[in-house]
Amino acid sequence: MEEGTSKSPTDLAGTEDAPAGTEDALGQCGDPGERGEPDGCGDPDQCTDEVCEWDARQWDTREDCEVRQILDRIAGKWSLLVIALLDRRSLRFTELRREVDGISQRMLTVTLRQLERDGLVRRTVHPVVPPRVDYALTPLGATLHATIQSLVTWTERHQAEIASARADYDVRAAAEQAVAAHGR
């Protein structure tokens, strides 16, 4: 490795330059760790030091990591909105399309199919002419809504602090740019 460069533990895992234990600590996504449990078991309520390591590295960025794929799916802006809208009642496709500002028909279709495949949304086709299709949260989807609501509540509670931090950052960034421009 060249002097002055550094690699993250993720970059080092499985290489000769890796610190001892790095590969075992990181493991493969869902592979058993040293003690035979999956690294980052995915259940923070049951994770203890004795059981498994609860670590942000469990959200591996590799495409084949199930945890990363699920997080990417449910954290997408369209998925969050659809789940929030379906919290209290089922909706027809056209109702969802009206309620989700800016979503295309194709993107709504893709989002609903993905959420249905993941078991978060139930699609019901009614045998009428013209066909009527309703979408509703499954019991699993309803548990996710509670988590989303917690995030929304946190955001609402801290939005003024975040706005202040953004404004402070923008002032600092503008000052740094001005110093850099005058220093040339």
Side-chain angles (χ1 to χ4, degrees):
M1 182 166 24
E2 292 178 35
E3 198 168 317
T5 63
S6 64
K7 291 187 176 184
S8 72
T10 303
D11 295 334
L12 293 173
T15 70
E16 293 176 21
D17 295 339
T22 301
E23 190 172 20
D24 286 340
L26 294 176
Q28 297 295 313
C29 183
D31 287 349
E34 284 180 22
R35 296 180 302 268
E37 298 89 22
D39 289 334
C41 68
D43 187 350
D45 295 329
Q46 295 189 11
C47 267
T48 65
D49 289 338
E50 299 85 38
V51 175
C52 65
E53 295 182 27
W54 181 249
D55 189 327
R57 291 178 292 198
Q58 77 180 15
W59 304 325
D60 198 307
T61 58
R62 288 172 284 191
E63 287 184 25
D64 61 342
C65 179
E66 290 281 330
V67 172
R68 180 76 252 164
Q69 290 174 6
I70 294 166
L71 286 173
D72 286 345
R73 173 85 34 84
I74 61 178
K77 74 177 183 181
W78 302 126
S79 295
L80 289 173
L81 288 170
V82 167
I83 291 166
L85 287 168
L86 292 175
D87 175 48
R88 290 190 170 46
R89 63 186 179 107
S90 66
L91 293 170
R92 295 174 70 178
F93 184 90
T94 53
E95 293 172 309
L96 279 166
R97 176 107 190 268
R98 259 194 312 272
E99 294 291 324
V100 181
D101 189 35
I103 194 169
S104 67
Q105 180 171 335
R106 181 187 180 289
M107 196 68 236
L108 180 57
T109 300
V110 167
T111 299
L112 288 166
R113 282 184 186 158
Q114 290 173 341
L115 293 172
E116 181 182 11
R117 181 171 183 253
D118 290 342
L120 303 172
V121 168
R122 182 183 62 251
R123 178 178 182 261
T124 304
V125 180
H126 299 278
V128 295
V129 178
R132 188 179 114 209
V133 180
D134 291 324
Y135 295 90
L137 287 183
T138 63
L140 179 62
T143 66
L144 180 58
H145 183 267
T147 301
I148 292 169
Q149 188 57 49
S150 295
L151 286 170
V152 170
T153 300
W154 180 90
T155 304
E156 289 171 343
R157 191 172 295 141
H158 297 285
Q159 65 186 343
E161 293 169 73
I162 293 169
S164 177
R166 287 177 176 174
D168 292 347
Y169 176 88
D170 292 345
V171 168
R172 285 192 316 273
E176 289 171 8
Q177 285 180 347
V179 167
H182 289 103
R184 290 185 201 178

